[in-house]
Amino acid sequence: MSSVNFKDYLNDQLQEPEFREAFNNETAKLESAIVISNLRKDAGLSQRESATFF
């Protein structure tokens, strides 16, 4: 059984425009969620408290 390098597999998949678009969209969502989480933590808010802002 041969092993597959994830980076090679991802780079191969990213050659397909539809996959690349979906991957980029999901990456943007994840990055936004991380920013919001960091801002919430920096402000000392719980998830429940921050839900009233978003």
Side-chain angles (χ1 to χ4, degrees), residues 24 26-37:
N24 290 337
E26 293 304 315
T27 299
K29 289 178 192 177
L30 177 60
E31 290 172 347
S32 297
I34 291 169
V35 168
I36 290 169
S37 176

Side-chain angles (χ1 to χ4, degrees), residues 12-29:
D12 185 50
Q13 294 299 308
L14 288 171
Q15 299 305 308
E16 298 180 31
E18 187 175 319
F19 180 90
R20 184 174 52 251
E21 181 179 358
F23 181 85
N24 290 337
N25 288 340
E26 293 304 315
T27 299
K29 289 178 192 177

